[in-house]
Amino acid sequence: MKRIVTRTTLAGAGFLLGVIGSALILAPRDFLETSHVFMENDPGLMSELAAPAGILLITSTLMLTGAIKIRLADPALSIGAIVYGSYGTGRLISMVLHGLPSDSLVAAMAIELAAAVILAGLRFAGWSRNPRSDAEDDLRGAIV
């Protein structure tokens, strides 16, 4: 049961990062406008948005891999907690320094911080630990 929760959490959180990262790279203006953030079509700004989008896509891939290969779940949980926590904390600091953004961005911050706490909690509670050896798990994965 614990491994199902870990895998489901990694898959859901990883999928969400993949969707957001893809939207930021492929259609940044449209994506940001859903949060009432409007911008010009500036290639420099597009580049600045693509850089963190790449991190989101890489983290998404690692989290989805951890959902499939349980022996990689611990690093996937850790990386996910760091990325979600970084985004949520960055938004919180921005709110203190620059004021409140749209409600959807405040909600995004709450989701990011909650995801970071959940991912870190699963990681440090040992919910991804495999009672069998890695070799036995690899063998089982090869058969299935």
Side-chain angles (χ1 to χ4, degrees):
M1 176 67 171
K2 291 180 178 182
R3 287 172 58 181
I4 291 171
V5 170
T6 299
R7 286 181 163 172
T8 303
T9 303
L10 279 171
F15 177 77
L16 181 59
L17 286 184
V19 169
I20 292 169
S22 296
L24 280 171
I25 284 181
L26 300 173
R29 289 183 69 186
D30 295 335
F31 179 73
L32 292 175
E33 286 176 4
T34 64
S35 297
H36 306 289
V37 175
F38 302 97
M39 56 186 238
E40 295 179 27
N41 193 11
D42 176 15
L45 182 55
M46 297 300 158
S47 176
E48 286 298 311
L49 290 171
I55 291 172
L56 295 179
L57 290 172
I58 290 168
T59 303
S60 169
T61 301
L62 294 171
M63 293 176 74
L64 293 171
T65 301
I68 295 165
K69 295 276 191 183
I70 198 67
R71 71 178 183 277
L72 299 175
D74 276 352
L77 289 167
S78 296
I79 291 166
I82 290 167
V83 170
Y84 271 103
S86 296
Y87 268 77
T89 302
R91 289 186 201 277
L92 183 61
I93 292 169
S94 178
M95 286 180 200
V96 171
L97 295 176
H98 308 294
L100 286 175
S102 67
D103 290 345
S104 61
L105 292 175
V106 174
M109 179 202 64
I111 291 166
E112 290 158 352
L113 292 174
V117 168
I118 292 166
L119 291 165
L122 289 173
R123 166 63 178 93
F124 293 109
W127 276 42
S128 62
R129 300 283 190 303
N130 186 358
R132 296 184 306 268
S133 71
D134 283 347
E136 188 178 353
D137 191 40
D138 288 342
L139 180 60
R140 177 178 275 234
I143 294 170
V144 175

